[in-house]
Amino acid sequence: DTGVSQNPRHKITKRGQNVTFRCDPISEHNRLYWYRQTLGQGPEFLTYFQNEAQLEKSRLLSDRFSAERPKGSFSTLEIQRTEQGDSAMYLCASSFTGRNTEAFFGQGTRLTVV
Amino acid sequence: AQTVTQSQPEMSVQEAETVTLSCTYDTSENNYYLFWYKQPPSRQMILVIRQEAYKQQNATENRFSVNFQKAAKSFSLKISDSQLGDTAMYFCAFNAGKSTFGDGTTLTVKP
């Protein structure tokens, strides 16, 4: 296993377009997390899955954001009608269940909305 | 809701010296873990060290150690014998189900 993989690494889109990002977690991990990180800030929680079930979604997340994890494997994060404020690094992480387990992060997808 | 505060946006240290990064948190949870993660420039985040909240003994991993003060809700990271490869952004994180991160401290190790 090569770790958490995210695609694409970079995405430039025009305001108003829809974008979709993909995350392939470490295969044994049942938890998958999405975070958003802007320059100079820490990762901000967006949502997380336990297998295929979405257990929590941040109240900061607008209805334009949706995430899925079909069959408990890879996950997609879609942003509809992108806005300039959506420009950020989107990080995916996976882990085993448990508060003591470390999260393994991907390299992120950098979104630029122009 | 949990909050994590890192009050030092930037720090620098001379190679081979010791530096301490601060972190405080706020929670009403009793069962939680604390982590320090490192994010090198343009690279993915990796775990540095973790601390179980119910353990009084401070965690140590080679040159990295923590000073965990549960009553004060403080969790600082000490890096001994700093190396150039320690240059990175360091994030303190609190986990009681999902991780909540601080805003990070950018550490520069100078030769």
Side-chain angles (χ1 to χ4, degrees):
Chain A
D1 200 324
T2 56
V4 179
S5 177
Q6 291 188 246
N7 288 288
R9 293 287 308 280
H10 303 273
K11 178 71 177 179
I12 300 175
T13 190
K14 292 183 178 179
R15 190 172 47 190
Q17 298 293 306
N18 299 344
V19 294
T20 300
F21 310 140
R22 177 179 171 122
C23 171
D24 288 274
I26 293 172
S27 55
E28 298 86 6
H29 289 172
N30 47 12
R31 287 238 172 137
L32 186 147
Y33 306 84
W34 285 100
Y35 290 87
R36 176 171 62 192
Q37 187 179 23
T38 53
L39 197 61
Q41 304 290 315
E44 175 189 26
F45 171 76
L46 296 179
T47 188
Y48 84 100
F49 293 83
Q50 171 94 4
N51 300 314
E52 66 275 10
Q54 188 172 19
L55 294 190
E56 188 175 343
K57 185 175 176 179
S58 169
R59 284 171 290 178
L60 301 175
L61 213 58
S62 78
D63 291 342
R64 296 185 297 105
F65 288 72
S66 63
E68 293 182 340
R69 191 183 182 196
K71 301 179 183 177
S73 55
F74 71 93
S75 176
T76 57
L77 178 68
E78 181 183 16
I79 308 174
Q80 297 182 327
R81 305 181 302 282
T82 52
E83 302 172 356
Q84 286 190 320
D86 297 331
S87 295
M89 177 75 84
Y90 290 83
L91 297 173
C92 176
S94 69
S95 74
F96 293 110
T97 303
R99 300 179 177 194
N100 62 330
T101 61
E102 73 178 278
F104 289 80
F105 283 82
Q107 291 188 290
T109 295
R110 182 168 296 284
L111 173 66
T112 302
V113 182
V114 298
Chain B
Q2 293 84 25
T3 59
V4 178
T5 303
Q6 294 180 249
S7 59
Q8 305 151 313
E10 295 182 3
M11 293 192 72
S12 64
V13 63
Q14 292 295 132
E15 196 175 6
E17 294 189 346
T18 295
V19 64
T20 299
L21 309 183
S22 301
C23 173
T24 57
Y25 61 95
D26 191 22
T27 185
S28 56
E29 295 271 353
N30 287 316
N31 180 19
Y32 58 88
Y33 288 77
L34 296 160
F35 301 81
W36 279 97
Y37 286 89
K38 169 185 177 181
Q39 188 176 40
S42 301
R43 295 182 62 186
Q44 64 212 87
M45 201 170 319
I46 57 173
L47 178 71
V48 175
I49 196 167
R50 86 188 82 193
Q51 174 75 40
E52 301 169 68
Y54 62 86
K55 283 192 176 179
Q56 290 187 330
Q57 185 175 5
N58 290 322
T60 299
E61 287 285 343
N62 301 313
R63 298 182 295 108
F64 299 88
S65 62
V66 300
N67 183 5
F68 174 48
Q69 302 290 328
K70 189 172 184 179
K73 294 180 180 173
S74 169
F75 181 59
S76 61
L77 174 69
K78 185 171 83 171
I79 306 174
S80 304
D81 185 27
S82 297
Q83 300 176 358
L84 296 178
D86 295 334
T87 291
M89 200 157 183
Y90 287 81
F91 293 98
C92 177
F94 171 101
N95 192 325
K98 66 179 190 294
S99 288
T100 300
F101 290 81
D103 281 339
T105 296
T106 300
L107 176 67
T108 303
V109 180
K110 299 180 178 178

